[in-house]
Amino acid sequence: YNGPCFTFGTHDCADIVLAQQVTDLVGWPHEIHELTPDNWFERRIPTIWVTDGLLDMQHMHGCEFVDDITKQGRFVINGYSGDAILGPSFLRTDTTNQRINKDIAEKYYGQYVHLADIESSFYDIPHVEPNLLMNRVRRFTNMGTLASSPWLEHKKPFLDNELIEFVFSINDEHRLENKLYSTMLLNQFPEFYKTIPWQKTGRTIDNNPEVAMPLCATDNYTDYISWIREPDIAVKIDRILNSPTALYRNFIDEDWHEMYLVPHLNKNLNRSNKILRAVTIELFLQNFFQYP
């Protein structure tokens, strides 16, 4: 079976270049959707309402191309949370084989630890991940899935019950430094993982010195810093955040236009993350209070 593959990102970014290597190896069709300064901002606005304002615009990449993907089918294989279940993304050396507690939770949640319900008996297991899966993954990572769920049905193999039961029945040391995950990938899929490097490091997971990172235009599949400075986008954001009738002003005393947009545009400072969160909140409020 040749499944259609889709990759989005800036022109010749590492994600697209490496995805092409994978699809060339298996002979599957590969459709590239290029993110540009002109095609990201407006298309994300409707998704703010779909996700109840819980996913900021900076993390909506890919929703621009859902219509094209649905033409090929409605099912998507999603690697959702694989790095946090089989890999060590949420695991630290000093938190191995421990039940989550206030001190550990503060390292992840900071001042919001009181919202994580860490005392619940649901987390009576010598691993910190269940609480992180319930909070960060369910409340944040899952929003990326929710953004396209009205059109696509996501299949999430890493959430298989038997797999999760196995992973959390063994000591955490097996997952530190990606030991378990890397060993499995090299054993089961050597044709991919012995010859194609990891985008994050530029090397194969077995550090084969004979395999080099291919030539890429950039490591990043987005460029929000520059895109926000595009005149058309800057004007649109200015109208949203600088309006005297902006609804966010009814809830806080801060002026997000002066705090975030002005320094980003005039002082060459990167405030893209804060700007897009602010825009998300304001547009959600506008939609909420105008809803019939």
Side-chain angles (χ1 to χ4, degrees), residues 4 18 43 106 112 127 143 157 169 187 195 200 218 220 257 292:
L18 294 175
R43 295 189 186 185
E106 283 181 346
Y112 303 106
H127 307 279
M143 289 300 110
S169 70
N187 285 340
T195 61
K200 187 175 181 179
T218 175
N220 298 318
H257 174 265

Side-chain angles (χ1 to χ4, degrees), residues 232-289:
D232 288 348
I233 301 299
V235 168
K236 291 175 181 177
I237 295 177
D238 180 85
R239 289 173 180 168
I240 293 169
L241 297 182
N242 199 31
S243 170
T245 59
L247 294 175
Y248 77 85
R249 301 181 189 276
N250 297 328
F251 299 92
I252 62 170
D253 296 327
E254 297 173 346
D255 185 334
W256 288 344
H257 174 265
E258 293 298 318
M259 290 178 65
Y260 305 131
L261 185 61
V262 171
H264 188 94
L265 298 179
N266 299 338
K267 298 181 181 180
N268 203 33
L269 298 174
N270 177 15
R271 297 292 184 268
S272 57
N273 184 277
K274 298 288 189 180
I275 291 168
L276 294 177
R277 288 185 183 183
V279 170
T280 302
I281 292 171
E282 174 59 25
L283 292 178
F284 175 77
L285 290 172
Q286 290 179 17
N287 209 331
F288 181 82
F289 286 107

